[in-house]
Each structure stands twice: as structure tokens, then as C-alpha cells.
Amino acid sequence: MWDQTLPTLIACLDATVRRFGGVPTYALTDNPRTVSIDHVAGIPVRHPQIVETARHYGMAVHTCVPFDPESKGGSEATVKIAKADLVPTEANLLPEYAAFTDLEAACDRFCATVNARRHRESARIPAEALADERTRLHTLPATPHTLALGTTRSVGTDQTIRFGSVRYSTPPGLVGAEVWVRAAGADLVVVADLDALPRVPDWATGRRGLSEVARHRLSTPGNPSIDPAHYPNHPQDPDGAPRPPRPRARSAAEARFLDLGPGAHTWLIAASAAGVVRIRAKMTAAVELAAFVGADTVSAALAVAAEAARFAESDLPAIAQAPHRHRRRTGRRRRGAFGPARHRRLGRLRHRPHGGPLVNPTAPPLPDDLLAVLKRMRLPYLRAAAPEVLATAKAQRWDPTEVLKVLLTEEVRGRDEATRAMRRKAAGLPAGKTFSSWREEDSSIPAPTQSALAALEWVHRAENLAISGPSGTGKTHFVEALAHAVIDAGMRVSWFTLESLTTAIGRAAVDGSITKTITRITRAELIVVDDIGMLPSGQAAAEAFYRLVDAAYERRSVAVTSNLHPSGFDTIMPKTLATAAVDRLLHHAHVVITEGTSLRLSEATAGRGVVPLT
């Protein structure tokens, strides 16, 4: 027993009955204040929590009679044994214990020894006697009395609990939960009821009910005890230094790039730290380059580029082809094996006029029967690239699988470009403004907000965006640039003004196809309603807007721009419909407020709005 507090006493009582394997009819105790709070006319008054504990275990508590050898002597016998055989004294010459756990281990060894040998008075082996008596013991409760677990504490948002004016950390997944803490020797033990958690943490797989979740050495005020293992995803190392970032793909394009190898991870970390622009475009170019020279070659080139801080458009192809130039100079060329030397014409092969198919005027045309097969299979981009690729493969003796991969990659590239072009046309985007013409520094939208929205995670989570502010502050430009980015990421966009949306729904109402029209619109992952509030809106506009927001709620992302905050839409629409629509719109929405004067007016007054006349 580390101390004589009530929680420690009950914890020892629980450990004792569990070692017995059952509960006796009564327990005989001495007269400490933790058991008897008073004596009236010689009758001990029980501590209420001791009574509650006895009920929990199903036994009675009796107090020994002073000077009675059968009761008082029995309760003090264990003290006598401990002093004689366990506590270091000058008589037994036992060494001092380094820790309380060493004393506990000594007690276990002592019990194992004496319980296995025959008792002098009873002539029975105690372990065998206990086995006989265990059949007459009461059933043991499945869980200890909560007071045996210690005092309760709530886990804070920083995953810590406070005990004795000291903070101690707990494993992840316990924030907000109630746990029990108690001192056990020189340690602090934290126990939690895993069955009461809304979600069982990963580290607790296979464990149920009351379970020890953390153990710390007792500390002093001003010296918190924090276990770094309790914070596996913390951005700092245990010594306080920033932990290097770990790339994790959040889109198919990012996954393809990171799959190139460790060099891709190194390059992405270095390029991001260096503030390199157009990172996504360069990642796509690296994936395309890997289709010609192999992922291992590109991964190695990316690692070299990261180490040398070479992030320009032409740096990666130059680094990747450096081994090929070296082979040509030295004349060492392996024949019959596929390697980097097979792609000496890669530079000419990769250059396409205006982003079109691979072109080489000297390449022989495909046979007519092969052209017919490719036309029937509807492979137009493969068909256009095949003459150049086959001529290059023949000259450089490519491996057949590499030829097939290059041709199919060209078909996929062409189809992706065609799909993006078709989706841009179907989206009805107003002016073709993208992030290439967006001036981040001129916008009042905070730069971190711009970057977070441009990452498009909110679209993947079907969250909404509401941008409000004065005219000319870049609302439509920014949302249109986001729409282009959504299409480039392989998703669809539907673009409306409130007037065009009202017209579309009104036209569908004539032939009863409103549901069909709304379904078609909400196939897009992002639906934009631009410039709400610029013109008067009536019942039809409010109804159209409500139908769209209600159909997209928690299924698709809706982005709106307006010179009014969404809470003010009831000033331009019927209040009932406006309130219902805004309620659904803002439930999962990022609200951005733009400020300042009109950028269009500023450019006009500065003479930059037109090309000077000559």
C-alpha cells in the first residue's frame, strides 16, 4: 500500500479478492479513519463509501475488537509478517528497494513461496486450501469499484489531465472523456472505460471495458509529464524541432506523382519550401516524362533536382537525359536491353505543336488495315501518335511493353484533354479567367484562404462557398478560376447567374421536367450561382435557388457570389424561401468577405483598361 487514502485502500481490497478468485462473506478491518469515521458508545460508524464498496462486492465489513487476539491480532498479523520478512531491517539484513515496484515483486515472490509449502498449524498447503474454499466464495464483480480506480478527471483538448498540479498526457481518442487516475507507488496510473467511448481508438483494438491507458512517473508542479508516443501526428519531434512533412496524396494526380518513388517525395517537399510556382503542372509533366524514360529514372532525377534546387520547367528533362548524353560520349551502349539509351530522340518526340499529337514528317504512315482497326476501336489519339512512336521505337529498339505503354498513355492524355475541353464548354464559364491571370496580391481574400480553397478539398467534401463584397473586388474571377481548377482535377462544373438559373427552371416547369433538370445540374461536383442581388429577384428566382440548394445539400458543392452577405438574401427574395435556402447553404459553407474599391475602376482610371490607340 503506497498510502492510506481511501482509493488506495479499496484498490488493495479489489486486488486481494481478485487474487482469491471470489469474495468472502465479510472482511475484518482495523480502525483507520478511512473505514470508521467515528465511534459512538463503542460502536464504530462506517465510512459511507466503505459501505458502498462492500455492497458492490457483496460482503460485510467488520471491525476488530481492541485487545482481542482473535480479531485485533488477526488484522495485525499481516503487519507483523511484512516487518519480519519483507521490510528491510537490521535483523533480516534485506537490501533497500530501489522502487515501490520492487517491493511489490518481493511480495509476489514471498506469497508464491509460503503458499506452496505446508502450514505448520493446519498441516495444509495454503494454495490447495484456497482452492477448496473458493467454491464457497461469492461471485466476483466483473469490474472493480470505481473508487478503486482513483479520482476522476476529464481529458482536455490537449490530451492531458491534471493531477497534483501537474499535467500528464493521455493517448489519442480520449479528448472529453472521463478517466480515473491514482498514484501506484512512484507511478501515476490512468484508467479509462473503453466501452463508454464513442469510438474505440486504434491503439485499443481488442481491449474492452476498464483498461489502463497510460502510466507516468509521478512528477512535480512545473514539470509536466508528456509522452511523445501519445501524439503520433504532432508536427514537432520530441526535441521540439519541426518534423519534416510527409506527403500524402489527396487526389489521383497527386497519387500518380508520388508513386514515381522517393525522389518525388523529396522534390515535392523541397519545391514547396522554396515557393516554386505551378507545382501541379510540373508534377503532371514528371508523370508524363516517366511514361517515356521510366519511373525510376524520373524519381532519381527529381531527387537530384531537389538537392540542387533546380525547379525550372526544363530542369527535370535535362537531368533525366544526362545519363544518355554520357553514354553517347563514352560510346558505351548495351545492345538488346531496354534502357535510357533507347530514348535519345525523346526531346523531339515530346515536342508537339500547339499541344497536339506527336508529329514527325519523316515517320512512315500506318498500314491501311491497322488504321481501320484503330478507327473501329475509336483510338484517335493513339492513331495520330502511332507513326512517330513506332518509328522511334524501331530506331531505338524499344521493349514492346514500353511501346504499348507510350501509345496508351498518349490516348489517355488526348482523351483527358478532350474531356476537359468538353466539360469547360458544357459548364458555361463566362470569361475564361483562370489562376494564371489571377493577381493574388491585389485581392483582399487572405492568401492562406486562397491557397486552401484552390486545393479543392472543400469540393471533395461537398462543402459550399459564399463570397460577398463590393463589385469589382474579384469575386467572379476567383470563383471562375476555382471552376477551371475543378475541371482540371477531373470533375464537372455548372455555372449560372440567378437569372439564367431562374430561366432554366422556369422552362422546365412548362413541360414538367423540373426534377429532371435539377438532377442534370447536380451531376456537377461544383455548381456556381454568380452575382446574386445585382438585379431584382421575385418568387420564381427564390424558388429556383431553393430547389437547387436543397437538391445539392450535403451532396454537391454550391458556390455563390453576391454583393450581399447570404444572411441578407431575404431582402431581395421572399423571406420564407430565402431563409430555408440560406440555412442549407451556410450549414457547410466557407464564407469569404471581399473588401476595397473596384479593381476594374482602378484599372480604368489608370488607363490600363484598354489598349492604347495608335
Side-chain angles (χ1 to χ4, degrees):
M1 180 179 290
W2 176 250
D3 54 40
Q4 296 192 41
T5 61
L6 188 59
T8 301
L9 175 64
I10 297 176
C12 292
L13 176 64
D14 181 81
T16 301
V17 296
R18 293 192 186 281
R19 179 163 294 205
F20 289 165
V23 181
T25 303
Y26 68 89
L28 183 64
T29 75
D30 206 341
N31 283 279
R33 297 285 294 179
T34 50
V35 178
S36 302
I37 60 176
D38 198 1
H39 285 75
V40 178
I43 303 299
V45 180
R46 297 277 179 265
H47 193 296
Q49 290 183 317
I50 283 291
V51 177
E52 182 182 341
T53 302
R55 281 200 202 96
H56 175 79
Y57 290 101
M59 66 180 179
V61 177
H62 293 283
T63 304
C64 64
V65 179
F67 310 110
D68 178 20
E70 292 189 0
S71 60
K72 179 69 172 178
S75 65
E76 292 184 344
T78 53
V79 178
K80 178 181 177 181
I81 293 173
K83 287 182 177 180
D85 297 311
L86 294 171
V87 178
T89 64
E90 295 180 358
N92 58 28
L93 300 179
L94 290 174
E96 293 288 340
Y97 297 107
F100 191 79
T101 53
D102 294 339
L103 176 58
E104 289 181 319
C107 291
D108 289 337
R109 290 193 297 272
F110 175 80
C111 290
T113 300
V114 300
N115 289 333
R117 67 190 183 195
R118 194 171 302 277
H119 195 272
R120 182 174 56 188
E121 296 295 331
S122 65
R124 300 185 66 187
I125 296 175
E128 296 177 355
L130 177 61
D132 294 338
E133 295 176 5
R134 190 172 287 129
T135 59
R136 294 186 287 274
L137 297 178
H138 301 299
T139 302
L140 190 65
T143 59
H145 190 273
T146 54
L147 197 59
L149 305 175
T151 57
T152 58
R153 293 289 188 272
S154 292
V155 180
T157 54
D158 57 353
Q159 291 182 215
T160 65
I161 52 97
R162 182 178 288 275
F163 182 81
S165 299
V166 180
R167 286 199 175 275
Y168 298 89
S169 63
T170 62
L174 298 177
V175 172
E178 187 179 69
V179 297
W180 291 268
V181 295
R182 63 181 175 88
D187 294 341
L188 179 85
V189 179
V190 183
V191 176
D193 185 358
L194 300 180
D195 290 340
L197 298 178
R199 177 182 174 274
V200 177
D202 295 338
W203 51 263
T205 303
R207 296 162 64 179
R208 297 290 304 276
L210 295 169
S211 179
E212 179 180 320
V213 297
R215 181 180 287 261
H216 295 267
R217 299 292 290 180
L218 285 170
S219 187
T220 56
N223 297 290
S225 180
I226 305 298
D227 186 351
H230 292 162
Y231 302 89
N233 298 318
H234 197 274
Q236 285 185 325
D237 281 331
D239 60 358
R243 182 173 295 170
R246 292 177 297 176
R248 291 185 292 272
R250 297 183 176 179
S251 67
E254 293 174 357
R256 286 193 293 270
F257 175 76
L258 295 178
D259 287 344
L260 294 177
H265 294 241
T266 304
W267 183 92
L268 179 57
I269 295 172
S272 301
V276 175
V277 298
R278 303 188 70 246
I279 284 184
R280 294 182 183 278
K282 293 172 182 177
M283 291 166 57
T284 302
V287 174
E288 293 179 353
L289 181 60
F292 293 92
V293 301
D296 292 340
T297 302
V298 173
S299 177
L302 287 169
V304 173
E307 183 177 359
R310 294 178 58 184
F311 303 114
E313 300 281 355
S314 59
D315 283 342
L316 183 61
I319 295 173
Q321 294 184 67
H324 317 284
R325 290 194 293 270
H326 175 71
R327 290 192 177 197
R328 287 201 300 273
R329 288 196 301 269
T330 59
R332 286 180 291 138
R333 179 178 175 186
R334 296 183 349 179
R335 303 184 62 86
F338 175 72
R342 301 293 173 259
H343 299 288
R344 291 176 308 191
R345 293 176 61 198
L346 176 63
R348 186 177 68 177
L349 183 64
R350 290 282 295 122
H351 286 85
R352 297 187 290 273
H354 310 295
L358 299 171
V359 174
N360 183 359
T362 64
L366 295 176
D368 292 339
D369 55 346
L370 179 57
L371 277 175
V373 171
L374 293 177
K375 287 181 180 180
R376 183 175 180 182
M377 295 181 67
R378 299 180 181 178
L379 300 173
Y381 307 100
L382 186 153
R383 186 173 73 246
E388 169 71 9
V389 173
L390 293 177
T392 303
K394 182 178 180 181
Q396 299 181 9
R397 293 188 290 277
W398 286 7
D399 187 87
T401 58
E402 188 68 14
V403 178
L404 181 61
K405 182 169 70 173
V406 171
L407 288 172
L408 292 178
T409 299
E410 193 65 23
E411 178 67 26
V412 171
R413 180 202 59 77
R415 291 190 180 191
D416 288 345
E417 289 183 358
T419 299
R420 286 193 290 269
M422 178 187 66
R423 287 178 175 175
R424 285 186 216 282
K425 182 177 180 180
L429 303 179
K433 294 181 178 179
T434 65
F435 280 117
S436 61
S437 60
W438 172 255
R439 298 195 299 271
E440 178 181 311
E441 65 280 359
D442 291 343
S443 174
S444 62
I445 303 174
T449 302
Q450 295 185 42
S451 300
L453 291 173
L456 304 181
E457 290 299 317
W458 60 282
V459 179
H460 294 294
R461 294 191 295 264
E463 296 172 350
N464 301 327
L465 174 64
I467 303 182
S468 59
S471 296
T473 52
K475 303 185 299 297
T476 299
H477 187 161
F478 184 65
V479 173
E480 185 177 359
L482 289 174
H484 280 285
V486 168
I487 293 174
D488 289 337
M491 295 178 281
R492 291 163 292 191
V493 174
S494 291
W495 186 285
F496 298 93
T497 62
L498 185 58
E499 290 69 33
S500 64
L501 176 65
T502 305
T503 301
I505 300 300
R507 188 182 300 116
V510 174
D511 57 5
S513 61
I514 292 180
T515 301
K516 183 178 179 180
T517 300
I518 290 292
T519 301
R520 175 178 55 80
I521 294 173
T522 53
R523 289 196 186 105
E525 283 79 6
L526 174 64
I527 306 159
V528 181
V529 183
D530 189 29
D531 281 340
I532 297 177
M534 298 301 293
L535 296 173
S537 303
Q539 177 72 23
E543 181 179 341
F545 184 61
Y546 169 76
R547 286 181 182 275
L548 173 64
V549 173
D550 181 61
Y553 178 62
E554 294 186 336
R555 295 179 54 247
R556 293 290 187 264
S557 293
V558 177
V560 299
T561 68
S562 175
N563 58 338
L564 297 172
H565 189 280
S567 61
F569 284 1
D570 58 358
T571 62
I572 60 172
M573 300 179 186
K575 186 176 181 65
T576 301
L577 286 174
T579 300
V582 170
D583 176 70
R584 290 163 172 78
L585 175 69
L586 296 186
H587 184 203
H588 305 295
H590 302 276
V591 180
V592 178
I593 309 297
T594 60
E595 300 173 342
T597 58
S598 171
L599 298 176
R600 289 190 289 265
L601 184 60
S602 299
E603 290 187 351
T605 54
R608 298 196 302 268
V610 295
V611 177
L613 299 175
T614 56

